[in-house]
Amino acid sequence: MSGLIERLEEDLTESMKSRDETRRDAVRLILASLRSAEKDLQRPLSDGEELQVLQRERKKRQEAAEAFRAAGREEAAGQEETELAILGEFMPEMLSEDALESIIDDAIAENGATNMRDLGRVMADVMPQVAGRADGSVVSQLVREKLA
């Protein structure tokens, strides 16, 4: 069993003991997503695959919170944001904008990129370095600005 799943199960046990229903439910949802992915692949998940599942769950929560807020359902949006905060505890720390720009600058220099035609090469170099620690759309936007 992976370290992340063990951490989640320990957290689930603690939240059940402390009767923290919100945390318990959020952790159960995360665990269910990870176990479902394991079942689909019929093998334990690698660290990268676990991270992909967590990113997918984070994106779902963000979109749901936005949709609820747009529909005027603040309580439901708050619930999604609470789950998002709990999920964030199990994800790697996000890169600062300065660190991200440094990685992008290095990739541009390494690839000799000078214009938008080089976008794909730069993105292919940057994304594995920032996996799970930066939003792909933010990375893409920064690369586009630097190549423009």
PDB file of all heavy atoms in Angstrom, residues 45-65:
ATOM      1  N   LEU A  45      -1.162   2.219  -7.496  1.00  0.00           N
ATOM      2  CA  LEU A  45      -0.812   3.440  -8.222  1.00  0.00           C
ATOM      3  C   LEU A  45       0.622   3.861  -7.918  1.00  0.00           C
ATOM      4  O   LEU A  45       1.095   3.711  -6.796  1.00  0.00           O
ATOM      5  CB  LEU A  45      -1.749   4.581  -7.814  1.00  0.00           C
ATOM      6  CG  LEU A  45      -3.230   4.415  -8.113  1.00  0.00           C
ATOM      7  CD1 LEU A  45      -4.013   5.564  -7.503  1.00  0.00           C
ATOM      8  CD2 LEU A  45      -3.488   4.335  -9.590  1.00  0.00           C
ATOM      9  N   SER A  46       1.288   4.414  -8.922  1.00  0.00           N
ATOM     10  CA  SER A  46       2.605   5.017  -8.692  1.00  0.00           C
ATOM     11  C   SER A  46       2.378   6.385  -8.054  1.00  0.00           C
ATOM     12  O   SER A  46       1.255   6.901  -8.027  1.00  0.00           O
ATOM     13  CB  SER A  46       3.353   5.169 -10.018  1.00  0.00           C
ATOM     14  OG  SER A  46       2.726   6.151 -10.821  1.00  0.00           O
ATOM     15  N   ASP A  47       3.448   7.004  -7.591  1.00  0.00           N
ATOM     16  CA  ASP A  47       3.333   8.338  -6.986  1.00  0.00           C
ATOM     17  C   ASP A  47       2.769   9.338  -7.988  1.00  0.00           C
ATOM     18  O   ASP A  47       1.941  10.176  -7.647  1.00  0.00           O
ATOM     19  CB  ASP A  47       4.687   8.823  -6.473  1.00  0.00           C
ATOM     20  CG  ASP A  47       5.159   8.050  -5.255  1.00  0.00           C
ATOM     21  OD1 ASP A  47       4.333   7.357  -4.625  1.00  0.00           O
ATOM     22  OD2 ASP A  47       6.353   8.140  -4.925  1.00  0.00           O
ATOM     23  N   GLY A  48       3.218   9.255  -9.232  1.00  0.00           N
ATOM     24  CA  GLY A  48       2.729  10.160 -10.275  1.00  0.00           C
ATOM     25  C   GLY A  48       1.248   9.970 -10.551  1.00  0.00           C
ATOM     26  O   GLY A  48       0.512  10.940 -10.759  1.00  0.00           O
ATOM     27  N   GLU A  49       0.807   8.723 -10.538  1.00  0.00           N
ATOM     28  CA  GLU A  49      -0.612   8.439 -10.778  1.00  0.00           C
ATOM     29  C   GLU A  49      -1.467   8.909  -9.610  1.00  0.00           C
ATOM     30  O   GLU A  49      -2.568   9.424  -9.805  1.00  0.00           O
ATOM     31  CB  GLU A  49      -0.807   6.934 -11.025  1.00  0.00           C
ATOM     32  CG  GLU A  49      -0.212   6.467 -12.341  1.00  0.00           C
ATOM     33  CD  GLU A  49      -0.098   4.964 -12.456  1.00  0.00           C
ATOM     34  OE1 GLU A  49      -0.025   4.268 -11.426  1.00  0.00           O
ATOM     35  OE2 GLU A  49      -0.055   4.480 -13.602  1.00  0.00           O
ATOM     36  N   GLU A  50      -0.951   8.757  -8.393  1.00  0.00           N
ATOM     37  CA  GLU A  50      -1.678   9.275  -7.226  1.00  0.00           C
ATOM     38  C   GLU A  50      -1.839  10.782  -7.339  1.00  0.00           C
ATOM     39  O   GLU A  50      -2.913  11.319  -7.073  1.00  0.00           O
ATOM     40  CB  GLU A  50      -0.932   8.936  -5.934  1.00  0.00           C
ATOM     41  CG  GLU A  50      -0.984   7.496  -5.548  1.00  0.00           C
ATOM     42  CD  GLU A  50      -0.135   7.189  -4.326  1.00  0.00           C
ATOM     43  OE1 GLU A  50       0.716   8.011  -3.940  1.00  0.00           O
ATOM     44  OE2 GLU A  50      -0.339   6.102  -3.756  1.00  0.00           O
ATOM     45  N   LEU A  51      -0.774  11.437  -7.756  1.00  0.00           N
ATOM     46  CA  LEU A  51      -0.804  12.880  -7.916  1.00  0.00           C
ATOM     47  C   LEU A  51      -1.826  13.295  -8.974  1.00  0.00           C
ATOM     48  O   LEU A  51      -2.566  14.267  -8.786  1.00  0.00           O
ATOM     49  CB  LEU A  51       0.587  13.395  -8.284  1.00  0.00           C
ATOM     50  CG  LEU A  51       0.762  14.891  -8.365  1.00  0.00           C
ATOM     51  CD1 LEU A  51       0.377  15.554  -7.056  1.00  0.00           C
ATOM     52  CD2 LEU A  51       2.192  15.231  -8.716  1.00  0.00           C
ATOM     53  N   GLN A  52      -1.908  12.537 -10.060  1.00  0.00           N
ATOM     54  CA  GLN A  52      -2.890  12.834 -11.100  1.00  0.00           C
ATOM     55  C   GLN A  52      -4.310  12.718 -10.561  1.00  0.00           C
ATOM     56  O   GLN A  52      -5.168  13.547 -10.868  1.00  0.00           O
ATOM     57  CB  GLN A  52      -2.718  11.892 -12.288  1.00  0.00           C
ATOM     58  CG  GLN A  52      -1.509  12.181 -13.132  1.00  0.00           C
ATOM     59  CD  GLN A  52      -1.334  11.174 -14.258  1.00  0.00           C
ATOM     60  OE1 GLN A  52      -1.847  10.060 -14.201  1.00  0.00           O
ATOM     61  NE2 GLN A  52      -0.613  11.577 -15.287  1.00  0.00           N
ATOM     62  N   VAL A  53      -4.561  11.704  -9.741  1.00  0.00           N
ATOM     63  CA  VAL A  53      -5.890  11.534  -9.154  1.00  0.00           C
ATOM     64  C   VAL A  53      -6.206  12.720  -8.242  1.00  0.00           C
ATOM     65  O   VAL A  53      -7.310  13.286  -8.301  1.00  0.00           O
ATOM     66  CB  VAL A  53      -5.987  10.196  -8.376  1.00  0.00           C
ATOM     67  CG1 VAL A  53      -7.285  10.123  -7.578  1.00  0.00           C
ATOM     68  CG2 VAL A  53      -5.889   9.016  -9.332  1.00  0.00           C
ATOM     69  N   LEU A  54      -5.240  13.132  -7.428  1.00  0.00           N
ATOM     70  CA  LEU A  54      -5.452  14.271  -6.529  1.00  0.00           C
ATOM     71  C   LEU A  54      -5.693  15.553  -7.322  1.00  0.00           C
ATOM     72  O   LEU A  54      -6.556  16.361  -6.959  1.00  0.00           O
ATOM     73  CB  LEU A  54      -4.269  14.443  -5.581  1.00  0.00           C
ATOM     74  CG  LEU A  54      -4.058  13.337  -4.544  1.00  0.00           C
ATOM     75  CD1 LEU A  54      -2.835  13.636  -3.691  1.00  0.00           C
ATOM     76  CD2 LEU A  54      -5.285  13.142  -3.680  1.00  0.00           C
ATOM     77  N   GLN A  55      -4.952  15.743  -8.407  1.00  0.00           N
ATOM     78  CA  GLN A  55      -5.148  16.930  -9.239  1.00  0.00           C
ATOM     79  C   GLN A  55      -6.545  16.921  -9.851  1.00  0.00           C
ATOM     80  O   GLN A  55      -7.208  17.960  -9.918  1.00  0.00           O
ATOM     81  CB  GLN A  55      -4.100  16.988 -10.354  1.00  0.00           C
ATOM     82  CG  GLN A  55      -2.729  17.340  -9.859  1.00  0.00           C
ATOM     83  CD  GLN A  55      -1.684  17.238 -10.950  1.00  0.00           C
ATOM     84  OE1 GLN A  55      -1.699  16.326 -11.770  1.00  0.00           O
ATOM     85  NE2 GLN A  55      -0.767  18.184 -10.957  1.00  0.00           N
ATOM     86  N   ARG A  56      -6.980  15.763 -10.313  1.00  0.00           N
ATOM     87  CA  ARG A  56      -8.312  15.648 -10.896  1.00  0.00           C
ATOM     88  C   ARG A  56      -9.378  15.991  -9.858  1.00  0.00           C
ATOM     89  O   ARG A  56     -10.333  16.711 -10.142  1.00  0.00           O
ATOM     90  CB  ARG A  56      -8.493  14.220 -11.430  1.00  0.00           C
ATOM     91  CG  ARG A  56      -9.583  14.044 -12.421  1.00  0.00           C
ATOM     92  CD  ARG A  56      -9.564  12.703 -13.125  1.00  0.00           C
ATOM     93  NE  ARG A  56      -9.277  11.562 -12.269  1.00  0.00           N
ATOM     94  CZ  ARG A  56      -8.267  10.709 -12.468  1.00  0.00           C
ATOM     95  NH1 ARG A  56      -7.430  10.872 -13.453  1.00  0.00           N
ATOM     96  NH2 ARG A  56      -8.086   9.687 -11.651  1.00  0.00           N
ATOM     97  N   GLU A  57      -9.196  15.503  -8.641  1.00  0.00           N
ATOM     98  CA  GLU A  57     -10.145  15.795  -7.567  1.00  0.00           C
ATOM     99  C   GLU A  57     -10.128  17.282  -7.215  1.00  0.00           C
ATOM    100  O   GLU A  57     -11.173  17.880  -6.972  1.00  0.00           O
ATOM    101  CB  GLU A  57      -9.832  14.950  -6.326  1.00  0.00           C
ATOM    102  CG  GLU A  57     -10.137  13.478  -6.502  1.00  0.00           C
ATOM    103  CD  GLU A  57     -11.597  13.215  -6.817  1.00  0.00           C
ATOM    104  OE1 GLU A  57     -12.475  13.731  -6.107  1.00  0.00           O
ATOM    105  OE2 GLU A  57     -11.860  12.492  -7.795  1.00  0.00           O
ATOM    106  N   ARG A  58      -8.932  17.877  -7.196  1.00  0.00           N
ATOM    107  CA  ARG A  58      -8.834  19.307  -6.907  1.00  0.00           C
ATOM    108  C   ARG A  58      -9.590  20.117  -7.957  1.00  0.00           C
ATOM    109  O   ARG A  58     -10.340  21.034  -7.635  1.00  0.00           O
ATOM    110  CB  ARG A  58      -7.364  19.739  -6.846  1.00  0.00           C
ATOM    111  CG  ARG A  58      -7.212  21.236  -6.566  1.00  0.00           C
ATOM    112  CD  ARG A  58      -5.792  21.664  -6.433  1.00  0.00           C
ATOM    113  NE  ARG A  58      -5.086  21.409  -7.678  1.00  0.00           N
ATOM    114  CZ  ARG A  58      -3.772  21.433  -7.803  1.00  0.00           C
ATOM    115  NH1 ARG A  58      -3.019  21.677  -6.773  1.00  0.00           N
ATOM    116  NH2 ARG A  58      -3.209  21.211  -8.965  1.00  0.00           N
ATOM    117  N   LYS A  59      -9.401  19.749  -9.210  1.00  0.00           N
ATOM    118  CA  LYS A  59     -10.062  20.478 -10.292  1.00  0.00           C
ATOM    119  C   LYS A  59     -11.588  20.333 -10.189  1.00  0.00           C
ATOM    120  O   LYS A  59     -12.322  21.308 -10.368  1.00  0.00           O
ATOM    121  CB  LYS A  59      -9.566  19.965 -11.643  1.00  0.00           C
ATOM    122  CG  LYS A  59     -10.083  20.781 -12.803  1.00  0.00           C
ATOM    123  CD  LYS A  59      -9.418  20.391 -14.094  1.00  0.00           C
ATOM    124  CE  LYS A  59      -9.914  21.313 -15.193  1.00  0.00           C
ATOM    125  NZ  LYS A  59      -9.267  21.046 -16.466  1.00  0.00           N
ATOM    126  N   LYS A  60     -12.058  19.137  -9.868  1.00  0.00           N
ATOM    127  CA  LYS A  60     -13.501  18.922  -9.694  1.00  0.00           C
ATOM    128  C   LYS A  60     -14.055  19.831  -8.606  1.00  0.00           C
ATOM    129  O   LYS A  60     -15.111  20.440  -8.765  1.00  0.00           O
ATOM    130  CB  LYS A  60     -13.787  17.460  -9.300  1.00  0.00           C
ATOM    131  CG  LYS A  60     -13.741  16.480 -10.417  1.00  0.00           C
ATOM    132  CD  LYS A  60     -14.094  15.104  -9.858  1.00  0.00           C
ATOM    133  CE  LYS A  60     -13.793  14.002 -10.832  1.00  0.00           C
ATOM    134  NZ  LYS A  60     -14.054  12.676 -10.255  1.00  0.00           N
ATOM    135  N   ARG A  61     -13.339  19.900  -7.472  1.00  0.00           N
ATOM    136  CA  ARG A  61     -13.801  20.728  -6.349  1.00  0.00           C
ATOM    137  C   ARG A  61     -13.818  22.210  -6.727  1.00  0.00           C
ATOM    138  O   ARG A  61     -14.745  22.927  -6.377  1.00  0.00           O
ATOM    139  CB  ARG A  61     -12.912  20.540  -5.118  1.00  0.00           C
ATOM    140  CG  ARG A  61     -12.806  19.134  -4.575  1.00  0.00           C
ATOM    141  CD  ARG A  61     -14.053  18.671  -3.870  1.00  0.00           C
ATOM    142  NE  ARG A  61     -14.003  17.372  -3.275  1.00  0.00           N
ATOM    143  CZ  ARG A  61     -13.728  16.221  -3.870  1.00  0.00           C
ATOM    144  NH1 ARG A  61     -13.398  16.187  -5.117  1.00  0.00           N
ATOM    145  NH2 ARG A  61     -13.783  15.081  -3.217  1.00  0.00           N
ATOM    146  N   GLN A  62     -12.782  22.668  -7.439  1.00  0.00           N
ATOM    147  CA  GLN A  62     -12.729  24.074  -7.835  1.00  0.00           C
ATOM    148  C   GLN A  62     -13.879  24.408  -8.777  1.00  0.00           C
ATOM    149  O   GLN A  62     -14.546  25.436  -8.612  1.00  0.00           O
ATOM    150  CB  GLN A  62     -11.392  24.383  -8.524  1.00  0.00           C
ATOM    151  CG  GLN A  62     -10.226  24.400  -7.579  1.00  0.00           C
ATOM    152  CD  GLN A  62      -8.884  24.468  -8.301  1.00  0.00           C
ATOM    153  OE1 GLN A  62      -8.742  24.061  -9.437  1.00  0.00           O
ATOM    154  NE2 GLN A  62      -7.883  24.983  -7.596  1.00  0.00           N
ATOM    155  N   GLU A  63     -14.122  23.548  -9.764  1.00  0.00           N
ATOM    156  CA  GLU A  63     -15.199  23.800 -10.720  1.00  0.00           C
ATOM    157  C   GLU A  63     -16.563  23.752 -10.033  1.00  0.00           C
ATOM    158  O   GLU A  63     -17.441  24.559 -10.339  1.00  0.00           O
ATOM    159  CB  GLU A  63     -15.131  22.790 -11.867  1.00  0.00           C
ATOM    160  CG  GLU A  63     -13.937  23.026 -12.778  1.00  0.00           C
ATOM    161  CD  GLU A  63     -13.744  21.930 -13.816  1.00  0.00           C
ATOM    162  OE1 GLU A  63     -14.460  20.900 -13.766  1.00  0.00           O
ATOM    163  OE2 GLU A  63     -12.884  22.111 -14.682  1.00  0.00           O
ATOM    164  N   ALA A  64     -16.734  22.808  -9.119  1.00  0.00           N
ATOM    165  CA  ALA A  64     -18.006  22.699  -8.409  1.00  0.00           C
ATOM    166  C   ALA A  64     -18.253  23.932  -7.556  1.00  0.00           C
ATOM    167  O   ALA A  64     -19.375  24.468  -7.527  1.00  0.00           O
ATOM    168  CB  ALA A  64     -18.033  21.436  -7.551  1.00  0.00           C
ATOM    169  N   ALA A  65     -17.220  24.412  -6.871  1.00  0.00           N
ATOM    170  CA  ALA A  65     -17.365  25.608  -6.027  1.00  0.00           C
ATOM    171  C   ALA A  65     -17.754  26.809  -6.887  1.00  0.00           C
ATOM    172  O   ALA A  65     -18.640  27.592  -6.514  1.00  0.00           O
ATOM    173  CB  ALA A  65     -16.074  25.890  -5.262  1.00  0.00           C
TER     174      ALA A  65
END
